[in-house]
């Protein structure tokens, strides 16, 4: 059965096309810097917003029309959703998808029943993956929606809730492995605090690291080869989240001997909420070999919360792809649309407009980034800017040969440092604009 009968598979029609449901920039098989656009971008669609989002907000109920969904949380309805999901993935030509355990299958009245529900849906997901060729970018456990996690999952004050979370991670990892998932994500929705008056921060962080070590051990035990990812976010739902930004995550991973096993899943709007740019978060992670994957949504600069909008801004996508190319491209990661249509965009076809636009924005960003790299004007400027480090006193400092005393001697002889050169920010911004 077709759940989107009015939609045909989206085709590349080139930049002149005025067909709103065609790609203008995403030409999957076109080769850029030695790889196809499909291999570069590794697009992924999320189950939670796309298949489970209703458009509800704190002021009103859902608005979304989803004819295939009977609105119940039954296993039968979950099985129908799988069919609709894979039709959508295929019609969008998306090679990957991602899910939380609780998006795909309903929670039962006990953990045993919940796991059985999940297994039933996972079997169907597997069959659909096999018949369509769509693959799993990552799986994860939702350890933030159920009220039991009100104080956190790994960082809860209640040891039995930790035990529940551990059991949930175990099952979610097994399912992710069985479905060939290329990554396993931890996003700590409630791993943080609302008030330090009631919080033992040290103990909570120790427990978070314990859960991650258990996951690393279990991956070895069952032969799960996927990459573990942590997704930084500074706040929402908690006031302070322990994985608040890339620097906080990397510090945490290093402090608890977890860095060899984890990379980061960076989300554009989480970077914004943390007061950083996505480019900063990517560069900071990339230079420490911790850039794993990205969730590709944007926020609204006039709103301070996580609006999870589809990306349309070429500056953002070009900067993002510039960082991906700089660090050698995605390995296990991809461009995952953790984004939702607006509450007012309630028709099924809006899901297509949203993804077509997001995919095209990233395809255009990839093309722009590749052009910028080909001419190399910005790279050359940066290289020259640091050229005083390539020889003489700069090289002595970098190689560790210099000391405070040797540098004092050098400066006493010289009298003063040579004059500075302009940073040329405006010129570089103009150069970037040449390619947009
Ligand atoms: C929440 C968020 C999550 C993670 C997965 O802001 O981004 O959906 O991507 O748990
Ligand atoms: Co996300």
């Amino acid at each position: 059965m077709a759940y989107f009968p009015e939609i045909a598979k989206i085709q590349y029609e080139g930049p002149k096309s005025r067909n709103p449901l065609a790609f203008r920039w995403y030409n999957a098989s076109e080769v850029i810097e030695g790889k196809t656009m499909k291999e570069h971008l590794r697009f992924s669609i999320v189950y939670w917003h796309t298949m489970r989002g209703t458009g509800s907000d704190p002021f009103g109920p859902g608005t979304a029309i989803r004819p295939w969904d009977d609105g119940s949380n039954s296993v039968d309805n979950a099985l129908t959703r799988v069919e609709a999901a894979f039709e959508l993935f295929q019609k969008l030509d998306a090679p990957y998808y991602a899910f939380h355990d609780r998006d795909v299958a309903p929670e039962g009245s006990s953990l045993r029943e919940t796991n059985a529900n999940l297994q039933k849906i996972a079997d169907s997901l597997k069959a659909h993956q096999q018949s369509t060729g769509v693959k799993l970018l990552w799986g994860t456990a939702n350890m933030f929606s159920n009220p039991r996690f009100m104080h956190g999952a790994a960082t809860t004050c209640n040891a039995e809730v930790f035990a529940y979370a551990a059991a949930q991670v175990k099952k979610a990892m097994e399912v992710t492995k069985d479905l060939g998932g290329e990554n396993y994500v931890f996003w700590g929705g409630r791993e943080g605090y609302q008030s330090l008056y009631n919080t033992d921060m040290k103990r909570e962080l120790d427990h978070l690291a314990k859960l991650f070590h258990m996951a690393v051990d279990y991956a070895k035990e069952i032969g799960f080869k996927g990459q573990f990812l942590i997704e930084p976010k500074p706040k929402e739902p908690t006031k302070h989240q322990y994985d608040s930004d890339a620097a906080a995550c990397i510090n945490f991973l290093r402090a608890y001997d977890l860095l060899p096993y984890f990379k980061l899943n960076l989300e554009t709007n989480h970077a914004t909420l943390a007061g950083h740019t996505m480019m900063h978060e990517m560069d900071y992670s990339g230079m420490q070999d911790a850039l794993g994957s990205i969730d590709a949504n944007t926020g609204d600069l006039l709103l301070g919360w996580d609006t999870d909008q589809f990306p349309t801004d070429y500056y953002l996508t070009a900067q993002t792809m510039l960082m991906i190319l700089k660090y050698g491209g995605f390995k296990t990661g991809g461009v995952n649309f953790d984004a939702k249509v607006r509450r007012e965009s309630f028709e099924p076809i809006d899901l297509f407009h949203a993804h077509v636009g997001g995919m095209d924005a990233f395809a255009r960003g990839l093309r722009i980034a590749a052009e910028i790299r080909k001419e190399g004007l910005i790279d050359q400027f940066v290289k020259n800017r640091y050229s005083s480090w390539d020889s003489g006193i700069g090289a002595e400092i970098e190689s560790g040969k210099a000391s405070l005393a040797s540098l004092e001697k050098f400066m006493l002889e010289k009298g003063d440092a040579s004059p500075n050169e302009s940073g040329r920010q405006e010129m570089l911004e103009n150069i970037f604009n040449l390619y947009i």
Side-chain angles (χ1 to χ4, degrees):
M1 178 173 166
Y3 296 91
F4 304 96
E6 75 281 25
I7 313 263
K9 187 166 181 179
I10 309 295
Q11 306 288 340
Y12 170 70
E13 292 184 4
K16 292 213 163 64
S17 172
R18 290 296 173 264
N19 173 3
L21 290 178
F23 296 123
R24 273 164 271 273
W25 305 103
Y26 182 53
N27 185 12
S29 60
E30 189 176 326
V31 174
I32 291 178
E33 289 199 16
K35 283 202 295 199
T36 64
M37 295 186 86
K38 184 175 177 174
E39 288 164 339
H40 273 292
L41 292 160
R42 296 166 58 86
F43 286 128
S44 164
I45 294 177
V46 305
Y47 214 91
W48 52 102
H49 291 311
T50 298
M51 300 315 296
R52 304 307 308 274
T54 62
S56 68
D57 70 13
F59 299 93
T63 55
I65 297 171
R66 302 291 182 250
W68 58 87
D69 198 313
D70 67 15
S72 77
N73 209 5
S74 70
V75 171
D76 279 348
N77 195 22
L79 287 167
T80 310
R81 267 191 224 111
V82 173
E83 289 181 26
F86 276 78
E87 183 185 333
L88 180 131
F89 302 158
Q90 276 191 294
K91 286 189 166 169
L92 281 166
D93 198 18
Y96 290 98
Y97 73 111
F99 66 79
H100 302 81
D101 48 3
R102 302 297 175 257
D103 315 326
V104 292
E107 198 153 348
S109 56
S110 65
L111 179 62
R112 197 177 301 280
E113 190 183 322
T114 301
N115 284 350
N117 290 348
L118 179 55
Q119 192 54 54
K120 208 176 261 176
I121 305 300
D123 293 342
S124 171
L125 291 168
K126 191 172 184 176
H128 282 78
Q129 285 184 210
Q130 279 163 355
S131 65
T132 61
V134 175
K135 295 188 278 188
L136 180 63
L137 188 70
W138 47 265
T140 187
N142 175 334
M143 305 192 294
F144 43 87
S145 295
N146 190 294
R148 82 172 65 82
F149 298 119
M150 63 171 71
H151 300 296
T155 64
T156 173
C157 48
N158 178 326
E160 290 197 2
V161 172
F162 182 104
Y164 194 102
Q168 205 178 319
V169 167
K170 176 176 178 287
K171 181 68 183 171
M173 282 176 61
E174 289 163 5
V175 166
T176 301
K177 176 186 180 259
D178 193 38
L179 296 177
E182 299 188 23
N183 306 271
Y184 184 88
V185 167
F186 286 96
W187 169 63
R190 297 196 189 270
E191 313 293 25
Y193 60 80
Q194 303 291 2
S195 168
L196 278 175
Y197 292 156
N198 66 12
T199 302
D200 186 336
M201 182 151 51
K202 168 80 167 65
R203 214 162 177 184
E204 292 200 357
L205 285 168
D206 286 351
H207 295 166
L208 186 58
K210 266 211 162 54
L211 184 75
F212 289 169
H213 273 293
M214 288 178 190
V216 168
D217 291 345
Y218 193 57
K220 285 183 190 149
E221 194 179 322
I222 63 174
F224 172 60
K225 298 275 185 302
Q227 174 67 51
F228 283 112
L229 299 171
I230 297 190
E231 183 174 325
K233 183 175 182 181
K235 57 188 169 196
E236 199 196 321
T238 57
K239 170 171 135 171
H240 174 89
Q241 266 168 240
Y242 292 134
D243 51 12
S244 49
D245 65 2
C249 283
I250 290 174
N251 178 60
F252 169 81
L253 293 171
R254 215 188 301 276
Y256 287 97
D257 296 322
L258 286 159
L259 199 50
Y261 313 106
F262 280 81
K263 292 189 194 299
L264 302 189
N265 182 41
L266 297 170
E267 180 164 321
T268 317
N269 198 42
H270 295 178
T272 314
L273 294 175
H276 304 305
T277 60
M278 181 61 161
M279 201 173 172
H280 164 91
E281 291 289 84
M282 295 181 78
D283 211 9
Y284 188 82
S285 309
M287 73 186 185
Q288 309 192 55
D289 194 26
L291 176 52
S293 195
I294 63 166
D295 277 4
N297 54 37
T298 50
D300 182 312
L301 289 180
L302 301 183
L303 300 173
W305 66 87
D306 198 10
T307 56
D308 280 335
Q309 289 172 222
F310 280 84
T312 55
D313 178 344
Y314 293 156
Y315 286 96
L316 172 69
T317 57
Q319 290 166 1
T320 302
M321 291 316 297
L322 210 47
M323 287 296 120
I324 292 294
L325 295 176
K326 175 175 174 180
Y327 291 105
F330 288 117
K331 310 257 163 7
T332 62
V335 175
N336 182 49
F337 289 110
D338 186 1
K340 59 183 181 233
V341 289
R342 299 304 85 193
R343 187 168 189 264
E344 302 79 9
S345 307
F346 55 85
E347 295 180 2
I349 198 170
D350 290 308
L351 294 171
F352 284 86
H353 288 300
H355 284 94
V356 167
M359 291 164 81
D360 247 359
F362 263 87
R364 182 83 200 270
L366 168 61
R367 290 173 187 276
I368 293 167
E371 285 299 313
I372 290 174
R373 281 159 58 86
K374 195 161 103 197
E375 271 201 286
L377 299 175
I378 295 178
D379 280 349
Q380 197 53 51
F381 181 87
V382 175
K383 199 167 177 301
N384 289 342
R385 185 162 185 244
Y386 292 87
S387 59
S388 69
W389 296 89
D390 295 339
S391 59
I393 199 74
E396 271 177 44
I397 298 170
E398 279 198 350
S399 65
K401 286 192 195 115
S403 65
L404 291 184
S406 77
L407 295 177
E408 181 196 46
K409 182 166 175 283
F410 173 79
M411 260 310 137
L412 285 172
E413 277 162 24
K414 237 196 137 211
D416 200 352
S418 51
N420 278 309
E421 285 165 16
S422 169
R424 295 264 190 273
Q425 179 176 330
E426 297 77 4
M427 180 191 82
L428 291 162
E429 286 165 349
N430 297 347
I431 290 177
F432 203 94
N433 270 353
L434 293 175
Y435 304 91
I436 294 284

